[in-house]
Amino acid sequence: MMNAPPTNRDDELRASVRAVFLPGGALARPEGEANLVEAQLAMAEAVVETLACGGRLVVEAGTGVGKTWAYLVPLLLSGSKAWISTATQALQEQLLMRDIPVLVKALGMPVRVTMLKGRSNYVCLHRVDLALAGKLDMGRHDPAWASALHRVWAWASRSREGDLAEVQGLAEDSPLRPWISSTQENCLAKRCPRLADCHVDRARRQAKAADWVVINHHLFLADPLTRDDTLPSMLPAVPTVVFDEAHRLVELSEARLGLSMGSAQLSALAREIRRLGPLFARACKPWAQRALRLEQAGRLVAGVLPGRSGSRRRLAWPEDTPEGVIRSEWQYARLEVFNALKASTLALQTVASAATPLKALAEYASRMQGSWLELLSDRSAQEKNPLAWHRWVELGAPGEWRVVRSSTNAALAFGSAMGTAAGARSWVFTSATLGMDDRLAWFTDQLGMAASEGLRTMRITSPFNHAQQACLYVPSELPVPGDERHSALLAAQVARWAGVLGGRTLVLTTSLRACEEIARTLRREFAMIRCPMQVVVQGEGSKGQLLDRFRSAAGGPPGAVMVASASFWEGVDLPGNALQLLVIDKLPFPSPDDPMAQARASRASAQGADAFEAGYLNSASMALRQGAGRLIRRANDQGILVIADRRLLTHSYGQRLLRALPPMKQLFEAVEMDEAVARLASRR
């Protein structure tokens, strides 16, 4: 892609953008924050150049740069249409409900903006009607289900957007969701009696008419075979695409290439057969029997897999049978799944002409049958594929499992997805963590951008003075993280520090097991001293609900400690005194038996690169930076970061991980840590 030369209009845009951020401008920073303005302007001017000349801009913007407005202001002032993609639906909502309205009001420039999510995120009014009328065999007679269904109906009757995220208390993994949303297979499309009120159709029509459409990476990367429409037909053609929290694209692109199937898909197919079969072809087939066979096949697979207590883990699959599974049992269970899928497919195909939903369901069942065969194909055949597939089995809650095949070639998947926005000439990628060098090689190499014409990379470090605002403590007296005493002993120390601070503490763990043990120990410690400190724990509410509880507790005694894992390492903003102590239980290395980490290491080794660095160290570095970034969120924040893993000081890779963090004053002794905690407590 050749860069176009700048024009006078581009110079005018650059001047207008500068005027917005400089003193006297609509978004000017307070006096004394010149360094913050300089960092934000550097990114904004790079975005202006990319809008003018085209190409790809990759910006690592540290905490405090203000990257959101640094790309939104040039977009708004240029009048450019755009897709803006974020990592999560929560960030979509933040852009649509908070950031963009503030910007539009400040600059007095309207823009048509809407948000688009995947179909399953919107309520299907027709399915709710059927459920209320008892025409869906939901297999549930629990009064709680009936109550929840009536609550959804009451909300749906007045909701303008139909976004299920609006329903209080409806978790993302709620078993009720499939019954009140639609899929490509069960959607009646133009035959639907509620078509005029369809929220999916309305959302897509609004997206086609918008100037900016806020989507998420999952939707952008969705495989055309698994989504019921392609982005070009759902969205307007645009010259610009922006990816916020772009670091997530690497992992998600790898997943896009892959293939997976499990108990959830078998249950979903069974559910639709139970509903659609009797509805459109009652006398033709024993539909309940077909559905039951699918469910029994799923339970059979779950029964031969080890670790059925509900612990989440991955089983490596180096040969023809997953590790820890008896070969004969696995062969029998996988054949039962195939036979159940085959029987369902044949039954649906014989009646497919009776109704469009039955035809769509027959095609879906056929695809599932093909996917199952492909997932289980012999390893030697897979090895002939240049993508070097890797397989494993994921175990979840009791009875839940998923067979996964994936590749580490994220570049191929992302390049294919970029074709959905073929008309775009300007691409902006930004995040606080994209690499360890000026080339941002961790990101650009993995997505195949390293040799791209028109690529520009920038690293804008955080303008905050971390050396004065934060301290780092690595407790050397704790046992190594692999020691079974580690979590309990760490929790005891956290209880003591949090007691002095009045809460204001977030503990990030690298596993759910550690999360549960630390939370349990904290509650016991506080109970022993009769301290009413709240312990807010992941899994005891939605992410938003937990953060709200934690923020509310920060306003006064007794305070709260939050213990969380996974998604809380990113996208958590707790500025000011709300968070003063951030504890990371151990270095966030991928598990030694993580199939994708092993695959990255093998690929690096084959290319003559460092296997440990590619497979494990880079991932740990990026995750550690993301987690540590939760502490200092504003220019006047003060806090302490505790990394409870002495390998940071004793192993050779420790110095590299330390260099990945912002420069902070290091505390070496327990007494120094106690003094620092006391100073923080006295500041309030």
Side-chain angles (χ1 to χ4, degrees), residues 114-138:
T114 191
M115 176 171 63
L116 185 65
K117 298 181 180 180
R119 174 192 290 275
S120 63
N121 293 283
Y122 300 95
V123 68
C124 174
L125 298 173
H126 176 57
R127 285 176 66 78
V128 173
D129 290 344
L130 291 175
L132 288 170
K135 295 181 180 180
L136 294 184
D137 181 11
M138 300 173 70

Short mmCIF file of all heavy atoms in Angstrom, two decimals, residues 114-138:
data_model
loop_
_atom_site.label_atom_id
_atom_site.label_comp_id
_atom_site.label_asym_id
_atom_site.label_seq_id
_atom_site.Cartn_x
_atom_site.Cartn_y
_atom_site.Cartn_z
N THR A 114 -23.46 3.73 16.32
CA THR A 114 -24.26 2.65 16.88
C THR A 114 -23.33 1.51 17.27
O THR A 114 -22.16 1.49 16.91
CB THR A 114 -25.34 2.16 15.89
OG1 THR A 114 -26.26 1.30 16.55
CG2 THR A 114 -24.71 1.40 14.73
N MET A 115 -23.88 0.56 17.98
CA MET A 115 -23.13 -0.60 18.44
C MET A 115 -23.76 -1.85 17.85
O MET A 115 -24.98 -1.97 17.77
CB MET A 115 -23.15 -0.66 19.97
CG MET A 115 -22.48 -1.88 20.58
SD MET A 115 -22.31 -1.74 22.39
CE MET A 115 -24.04 -1.65 22.88
N LEU A 116 -22.92 -2.78 17.42
CA LEU A 116 -23.43 -4.03 16.88
C LEU A 116 -22.74 -5.20 17.57
O LEU A 116 -21.52 -5.24 17.69
CB LEU A 116 -23.17 -4.11 15.37
CG LEU A 116 -23.77 -5.34 14.67
CD1 LEU A 116 -25.29 -5.30 14.72
CD2 LEU A 116 -23.30 -5.40 13.21
N LYS A 117 -23.56 -6.14 18.04
CA LYS A 117 -23.06 -7.35 18.68
C LYS A 117 -23.52 -8.56 17.86
O LYS A 117 -24.31 -8.43 16.92
CB LYS A 117 -23.58 -7.48 20.12
CG LYS A 117 -23.15 -6.35 21.04
CD LYS A 117 -23.69 -6.58 22.45
CE LYS A 117 -23.26 -5.48 23.40
NZ LYS A 117 -23.79 -5.70 24.79
N GLY A 118 -23.07 -9.72 18.25
CA GLY A 118 -23.51 -10.95 17.61
C GLY A 118 -24.97 -11.24 17.93
O GLY A 118 -25.52 -10.77 18.94
N ARG A 119 -25.62 -12.01 17.07
CA ARG A 119 -27.05 -12.29 17.18
C ARG A 119 -27.46 -12.78 18.57
O ARG A 119 -28.51 -12.40 19.09
CB ARG A 119 -27.43 -13.35 16.13
CG ARG A 119 -28.84 -13.85 16.23
CD ARG A 119 -29.04 -15.08 15.36
NE ARG A 119 -28.99 -14.76 13.95
CZ ARG A 119 -30.04 -14.33 13.25
NH1 ARG A 119 -31.21 -14.16 13.85
NH2 ARG A 119 -29.95 -14.08 11.96
N SER A 120 -26.65 -13.62 19.19
CA SER A 120 -27.05 -14.24 20.46
C SER A 120 -27.13 -13.26 21.61
O SER A 120 -27.59 -13.61 22.70
CB SER A 120 -26.06 -15.36 20.83
OG SER A 120 -24.76 -14.83 21.04
N ASN A 121 -26.71 -12.01 21.39
CA ASN A 121 -26.76 -11.00 22.46
C ASN A 121 -28.07 -10.24 22.49
O ASN A 121 -28.27 -9.40 23.37
CB ASN A 121 -25.61 -10.01 22.28
CG ASN A 121 -24.26 -10.66 22.50
OD1 ASN A 121 -23.87 -10.89 23.63
ND2 ASN A 121 -23.56 -10.96 21.42
N TYR A 122 -28.97 -10.52 21.54
CA TYR A 122 -30.25 -9.81 21.49
C TYR A 122 -31.40 -10.77 21.80
O TYR A 122 -31.37 -11.94 21.41
CB TYR A 122 -30.47 -9.20 20.09
CG TYR A 122 -29.41 -8.21 19.69
CD1 TYR A 122 -28.32 -8.60 18.92
CD2 TYR A 122 -29.49 -6.87 20.08
CE1 TYR A 122 -27.34 -7.70 18.54
CE2 TYR A 122 -28.51 -5.96 19.71
CZ TYR A 122 -27.44 -6.37 18.94
OH TYR A 122 -26.47 -5.48 18.58
N VAL A 123 -32.41 -10.26 22.48
CA VAL A 123 -33.56 -11.08 22.81
C VAL A 123 -34.35 -11.36 21.53
O VAL A 123 -34.46 -10.51 20.64
CB VAL A 123 -34.47 -10.39 23.85
CG1 VAL A 123 -35.14 -9.14 23.28
CG2 VAL A 123 -35.50 -11.35 24.40
N CYS A 124 -34.86 -12.58 21.42
CA CYS A 124 -35.76 -12.93 20.31
C CYS A 124 -37.18 -12.93 20.87
O CYS A 124 -37.55 -13.80 21.67
CB CYS A 124 -35.40 -14.31 19.75
SG CYS A 124 -36.57 -14.89 18.49
N LEU A 125 -37.96 -11.95 20.48
CA LEU A 125 -39.31 -11.80 21.04
C LEU A 125 -40.20 -12.99 20.69
O LEU A 125 -41.05 -13.40 21.49
CB LEU A 125 -39.93 -10.50 20.52
CG LEU A 125 -39.19 -9.22 20.94
CD1 LEU A 125 -39.79 -8.01 20.24
CD2 LEU A 125 -39.25 -9.04 22.44
N HIS A 126 -40.01 -13.56 19.50
CA HIS A 126 -40.82 -14.71 19.11
C HIS A 126 -40.55 -15.91 20.01
O HIS A 126 -41.48 -16.60 20.45
CB HIS A 126 -40.53 -15.07 17.65
CG HIS A 126 -41.25 -16.29 17.17
ND1 HIS A 126 -42.62 -16.42 17.21
CD2 HIS A 126 -40.78 -17.47 16.65
CE1 HIS A 126 -42.98 -17.59 16.73
NE2 HIS A 126 -41.88 -18.26 16.40
N ARG A 127 -39.28 -16.14 20.33
CA ARG A 127 -38.96 -17.28 21.19
C ARG A 127 -39.45 -17.05 22.62
O ARG A 127 -39.85 -17.99 23.30
CB ARG A 127 -37.44 -17.55 21.15
CG ARG A 127 -37.02 -18.22 19.85
CD ARG A 127 -35.52 -18.40 19.76
NE ARG A 127 -34.99 -19.35 20.73
CZ ARG A 127 -35.06 -20.67 20.62
NH1 ARG A 127 -35.68 -21.21 19.58
NH2 ARG A 127 -34.52 -21.46 21.53
N VAL A 128 -39.41 -15.82 23.07
CA VAL A 128 -39.97 -15.52 24.39
C VAL A 128 -41.48 -15.79 24.40
O VAL A 128 -42.01 -16.38 25.35
CB VAL A 128 -39.67 -14.06 24.80
CG1 VAL A 128 -40.41 -13.71 26.09
CG2 VAL A 128 -38.17 -13.85 24.98
N ASP A 129 -42.15 -15.38 23.31
CA ASP A 129 -43.59 -15.66 23.20
C ASP A 129 -43.87 -17.16 23.27
O ASP A 129 -44.78 -17.61 23.97
CB ASP A 129 -44.14 -15.11 21.87
CG ASP A 129 -44.19 -13.58 21.85
OD1 ASP A 129 -44.10 -12.97 22.93
OD2 ASP A 129 -44.29 -13.02 20.74
N LEU A 130 -43.06 -17.95 22.53
CA LEU A 130 -43.25 -19.39 22.52
C LEU A 130 -43.00 -20.00 23.90
O LEU A 130 -43.73 -20.90 24.34
CB LEU A 130 -42.31 -20.04 21.49
CG LEU A 130 -42.59 -19.76 20.01
CD1 LEU A 130 -41.49 -20.36 19.15
CD2 LEU A 130 -43.95 -20.31 19.60
N ALA A 131 -41.97 -19.51 24.56
CA ALA A 131 -41.65 -20.04 25.88
C ALA A 131 -42.77 -19.76 26.88
O ALA A 131 -43.16 -20.63 27.67
CB ALA A 131 -40.33 -19.44 26.38
N LEU A 132 -43.30 -18.55 26.83
CA LEU A 132 -44.39 -18.19 27.74
C LEU A 132 -45.66 -19.00 27.45
O LEU A 132 -46.44 -19.31 28.37
CB LEU A 132 -44.69 -16.70 27.63
CG LEU A 132 -43.65 -15.76 28.24
CD1 LEU A 132 -43.94 -14.32 27.85
CD2 LEU A 132 -43.64 -15.90 29.76
N ALA A 133 -45.84 -19.35 26.17
CA ALA A 133 -47.02 -20.13 25.80
C ALA A 133 -46.82 -21.62 26.02
O ALA A 133 -47.72 -22.43 25.72
CB ALA A 133 -47.37 -19.87 24.33
N GLY A 134 -45.65 -22.01 26.52
CA GLY A 134 -45.37 -23.41 26.78
C GLY A 134 -45.07 -24.21 25.53
O GLY A 134 -45.16 -25.45 25.54
N LYS A 135 -44.70 -23.53 24.43
CA LYS A 135 -44.45 -24.23 23.17
C LYS A 135 -42.97 -24.57 22.96
O LYS A 135 -42.60 -25.08 21.91
CB LYS A 135 -44.95 -23.38 22.00
CG LYS A 135 -46.46 -23.19 22.00
CD LYS A 135 -46.92 -22.36 20.83
CE LYS A 135 -48.44 -22.19 20.85
NZ LYS A 135 -48.91 -21.37 19.70
N LEU A 136 -42.15 -24.27 23.94
CA LEU A 136 -40.75 -24.68 23.90
C LEU A 136 -40.55 -25.73 24.98
O LEU A 136 -40.83 -25.48 26.15
CB LEU A 136 -39.81 -23.50 24.15
CG LEU A 136 -39.77 -22.38 23.11
CD1 LEU A 136 -38.71 -21.36 23.50
CD2 LEU A 136 -39.47 -22.93 21.73
N ASP A 137 -40.06 -26.89 24.58
CA ASP A 137 -39.79 -27.94 25.57
C ASP A 137 -38.47 -27.61 26.26
O ASP A 137 -37.42 -28.12 25.91
CB ASP A 137 -39.71 -29.30 24.89
CG ASP A 137 -39.46 -30.43 25.89
OD1 ASP A 137 -39.55 -30.16 27.09
OD2 ASP A 137 -39.17 -31.55 25.45
N MET A 138 -38.53 -26.73 27.24
CA MET A 138 -37.33 -26.26 27.90
C MET A 138 -36.77 -27.27 28.87
O MET A 138 -35.64 -27.12 29.36
CB MET A 138 -37.60 -24.92 28.61
CG MET A 138 -38.07 -23.82 27.67
SD MET A 138 -38.58 -22.30 28.52
CE MET A 138 -37.02 -21.70 29.12
#
